[in-house]
Amino acid sequence: MNQATEQLNRFLDDGARAPEDDDQRAAVRVVAHLEPALDPDPAFLNTLERQLVAASRPRSNLIALPPAERIRGDAKPWRAEASSFSAAALLAVIVLGAALGGWLLLGHDRADPESSAVLPAAILSSSPASPTPVMVSTLANAVLYDEPSQSSTALMTFHPGTQLELISTNRTPSITWLQLRVPGTRIVGWGTAYSPFDPATGVFRPGPARPPTIISPAPPDVSGALARVSGTVAVWSKPGPGMTMIWTAIPSDRLTLTGERIDQLGAAWVHVENVARNEDGWISADFLFAVHPSEASPVMSPTAIVVVGEAGNGLGKGPYHLKIGDRAHVMQSLTVWSQLKAGGMEALWRLTPYDRITITGPFIDFNGATWAPIRTSGPTPREGWVLADFLLPIDPLTPFATLKHVPPS
Amino acid sequence: MSAEQREASDEELVRNAQDDRAAFVALYRRYADSIYRYCWRRVETREAAEDFTAQVFLKALAALPNFRAGSFRAWLFAIAHNVLTDGYRTRRDHEPLDTAVRLRAVTPDPETAALHDETRRELRAALNSLLDEQRNVVELRLAGLTAAEIAEALNRSLPSVKSSQYRAFARLRRALTESNLGEPR
């Protein structure tokens, strides 16, 4: 019988003989012996401590938490399972705070104007007197969820440049939720933002203002034409309120346009089919590219992702610097590729938001984007290449130097 | 031991924090590990445990002005219990495939690590065999709470907690004996 088992038996005996006995040390010993892997990450503890300090400051507009009597009640707190956002539930996007000039990374929002998106009081933070106008920026769609949690429902998506109103914020150590409203409507929902806060003051940290960028040329508008997407892009059941994300298109997909096109929610939506996978749905035209005849066969890396130059642009204190040996997590679903070689890249597998990886080599500029060689952890690590722009340092509060780009050899 | 050397009691730290919210950090430091472990025992992944832990302390900080008397530890674990219960109510019914590989080995000895992992898995399986009310009691007991504190945290009577604990231990012992983790006596 090993030591842990002895301790466990002693604990059980103690408890059985004298359940009222306050023998906490026995419990602690058992826990220490049986659960060596449960030690919290010191970086997490430090981050949370800083967050608590910031939240304890008077007049912080970050977190207004429920009164004690609500905690035992039915108040529905935000349920942060941010670590395992499903690929279908998250598209990270950058939102440009028009008033603040800050860059925020968003998720998505609620769409049923009739239901008025009643949000649980327990998750509301103190709201500013008047909502702050923000604007969806480039890189990906901004998606609104019905509530700030992994189990939320995707309700609406917005293309770059869409004006929204920031009502309030709510954050966890790993993710910040933004409560957003569609101007002039009762549509309210939640998007995600990645560490856009100045931890010292608890407010948004303005970043370099930058107008939304048109990241793609107009897609072909001919039925039967082939198109591809610039990165991981959501495909929706329909364009408009009540839309649900049904699958995600990746750059290697070849999408066939069916000719249906609808202007809705301030964006042009086109209906596409992925013949190879027997899927179809609606996608924002802004993320479609015409497929050149030479690309007609499945190949190619994402080429049109806007390289922000400094990885982590808009991610709080950035710019961030990820160097060899650093650990990072991914901000959105991300394909891992076998190599950086035109026409020879093979999609290996997909990382999901908050998967953690290690940088294994220098960054490479290739095909208009910056790529990072990565390796997963665990007993069977896997290796490949991912877009560096979608990596975030494990501790987002740590400032880094500028991302170093190494020219391809 | 001088007054300066004496470790402040929970009651003192609570009073300090109620006067100055920044002083809440001392309570956080005292209970961060145990709350984190309590959360992780329930949610399987480190990241989820971290988020739940953050949620517990942020709620506690906000609600602290309303804390009046009794055991702070019981009050804090009551918040944790409610946060986790609410989280479970809505969590997705899946676990990431790489849950297992996220477990961090803290010992350089792979054999010891393997034994720990195996023991932990069996303990978890045994805990899963308990009724919810029994498991809640045992998990709080493992977190170091007394029976009285458990009763307060779970809003149950002390006799009820003792009864659950007694039955839970008996059941746990049977489960562990069957899995060869605990030896028959």
Side-chain angles (χ1 to χ4, degrees):
Chain A
M1 187 163 59
N2 64 32
Q3 192 178 12
T5 308
E6 287 178 5
Q7 298 286 356
L8 178 62
N9 275 316
R10 189 174 306 135
F11 173 69
L12 292 174
D13 285 346
D14 289 346
R17 279 198 301 268
E20 74 285 358
D21 179 35
D22 182 11
D23 185 7
Q24 297 164 30
R25 284 174 299 180
V28 171
R29 283 198 301 272
V30 171
V31 172
H33 281 93
L34 294 184
E35 302 177 324
L38 293 188
D39 290 333
D41 184 347
F44 159 72
L45 293 177
N46 291 336
T47 300
L48 179 54
E49 182 171 320
R50 287 200 298 269
Q51 183 182 356
L52 286 167
V53 169
S56 68
R57 291 197 179 97
R59 299 186 57 79
S60 167
N61 68 344
L62 277 183
I63 300 162
L65 290 157
E69 56 271 22
R70 291 194 64 98
I71 291 175
R72 285 179 182 273
D74 293 327
K76 193 177 182 182
W78 44 278
R79 298 178 303 278
E81 293 181 7
S83 59
S84 53
F85 273 89
S86 71
L90 177 68
L91 275 180
V93 297
I94 291 182
V95 165
L96 176 65
L100 298 172
W103 287 88
L104 311 173
L105 280 171
L106 285 188
H108 59 142
D109 183 275
R110 161 162 240 155
D112 183 1
E114 298 307 316
S115 66
S116 73
V118 177
L119 291 165
I123 60 176
L124 292 178
S125 64
S126 56
S127 301
S130 59
T132 303
V134 295
M135 186 163 58
V136 179
S137 184
T138 58
L139 288 188
N141 285 329
V143 187
L144 248 62
Y145 297 85
D146 61 342
E147 57 184 27
S149 80
Q150 178 196 359
S151 55
S152 60
T153 301
L155 296 169
M156 182 178 285
T157 189
F158 300 102
H159 76 300
T162 303
Q163 295 280 350
L164 299 171
E165 293 175 346
L166 176 63
I167 299 173
S168 65
T169 61
N170 190 307
R171 70 175 185 170
T172 73
S174 54
I175 197 168
T176 297
W177 290 93
L178 309 176
Q179 192 184 26
L180 299 159
R181 179 165 61 207
V182 179
T185 74
R186 298 171 64 197
I187 302 174
V188 175
W190 291 87
T192 55
Y194 293 85
S195 57
F197 293 101
D198 179 350
T201 62
V203 298
F204 288 116
R205 183 180 181 84
R210 191 163 77 170
T213 308
I214 301 300
I215 65 169
S216 68
D221 198 11
V222 180
S223 177
L226 281 180
R228 59 184 175 84
V229 289
S230 56
T232 302
V233 176
V235 182
W236 301 85
S237 59
K238 62 177 182 177
M243 64 201 297
T244 55
M245 190 186 300
I246 50 179
W247 51 282
T248 54
I250 59 176
S252 60
D253 288 340
R254 290 297 170 264
L255 308 175
T256 303
L257 304 188
T258 64
E260 288 186 84
R261 187 182 178 98
I262 292 177
D263 289 333
Q264 181 71 272
L265 302 171
W269 298 83
V270 293
H271 188 257
V272 299
E273 291 180 352
N274 185 339
V275 177
R277 293 195 293 180
N278 194 28
E279 295 170 321
D280 69 304
W282 292 87
I283 195 167
S284 171
D286 286 343
F287 298 106
L288 285 179
F289 290 79
V291 172
H292 189 274
S294 64
E295 301 180 74
S297 57
V299 255
M300 290 313 294
S301 63
T303 57
I305 292 291
V306 174
V307 177
V308 294
E310 295 170 336
N313 189 359
L315 303 177
K317 275 191 171 180
Y320 295 101
H321 178 202
L322 287 169
K323 61 182 183 301
I324 299 172
D326 281 349
R327 295 176 68 228
H329 56 216
V330 298
M331 293 151 45
Q332 67 167 63
S333 297
L334 201 56
T335 300
V336 183
W337 299 85
S338 59
Q339 58 181 332
L340 304 184
K341 182 179 178 183
M345 297 178 68
E346 177 190 359
L348 299 177
W349 83 97
R350 301 287 297 280
L351 293 168
T352 57
Y354 285 88
D355 276 350
R356 299 186 178 200
I357 53 89
T358 301
I359 308 295
T360 58
F363 290 86
I364 300 289
D365 283 335
F366 172 76
N367 235 0
T370 302
W371 297 79
I374 60 99
R375 181 178 60 234
T376 61
S377 58
T380 55
R382 306 180 70 182
E383 295 185 326
W385 291 85
V386 299
L387 284 168
D389 293 325
F390 295 103
L391 298 178
L392 190 65
I394 291 293
D395 180 2
L397 301 179
T398 304
F400 293 84
T402 303
L403 175 67
K404 292 182 175 157
H405 293 176
V406 179
S409 55
Chain B
M1 181 183 291
S2 70
E4 288 74 23
Q5 292 172 314
R6 181 179 60 85
E7 192 177 51
S9 67
D10 279 0
E11 290 73 19
E12 290 170 314
L13 294 180
V14 167
R15 278 197 300 273
N16 292 342
Q18 287 178 326
D19 291 339
D20 175 9
R21 282 160 56 90
F24 181 77
V25 167
L27 288 164
Y28 163 73
R29 288 174 179 164
R30 178 168 292 182
Y31 288 108
D33 283 9
S34 54
I35 288 291
Y36 172 85
R37 292 190 180 104
Y38 177 69
C39 290
W40 201 11
R41 230 172 265 127
R42 300 283 293 269
V43 298
E44 299 283 353
T45 68
R46 175 178 293 276
E47 292 79 7
E50 290 177 354
D51 284 336
F52 277 118
T53 301
Q55 195 174 157
V56 168
F57 281 103
L58 288 166
K59 283 179 177 293
L61 173 64
L64 195 63
N66 299 319
F67 176 78
R68 289 292 175 260
S71 164
F72 172 79
R73 181 167 57 174
W75 180 79
L76 186 63
F77 274 89
I79 292 175
H81 174 73
N82 290 327
V83 163
L84 287 163
T85 300
D86 189 82
Y88 257 89
R89 210 174 281 144
T90 52
R91 67 177 293 189
R92 288 188 170 191
D93 189 22
H94 75 267
E95 295 293 344
L97 290 176
D98 58 352
T99 294
V101 302
R102 293 185 182 194
L103 294 178
R104 216 173 35 155
V106 296
T107 167
D109 176 0
E111 185 178 351
T112 303
L115 286 172
H116 276 147
D117 286 349
E118 181 63 22
T119 304
R120 181 169 179 265
R121 273 194 295 275
E122 291 185 356
L123 176 63
R124 184 181 289 273
L127 287 172
N128 285 337
S129 73
L130 300 177
L131 301 176
D132 282 349
E133 64 172 33
Q134 296 172 351
R135 178 175 175 163
N136 289 336
V137 169
V138 171
E139 286 178 335
L140 289 171
R141 184 77 175 181
L142 284 170
L145 272 67
T146 65
E149 286 174 329
I150 294 171
E152 190 176 340
L154 298 179
N155 199 22
R156 293 169 54 183
S157 69
L158 183 57
S160 165
V161 166
K162 289 179 180 178
S163 173
S164 287
Q165 180 172 309
Y166 182 84
R167 287 195 298 270
F169 283 155
R171 192 165 183 159
L172 196 55
R173 178 179 295 285
R174 282 198 301 274
L176 294 176
T177 299
E178 288 166 5
S179 71
N180 297 319
L181 181 60
E183 289 193 354
R185 298 197 171 187

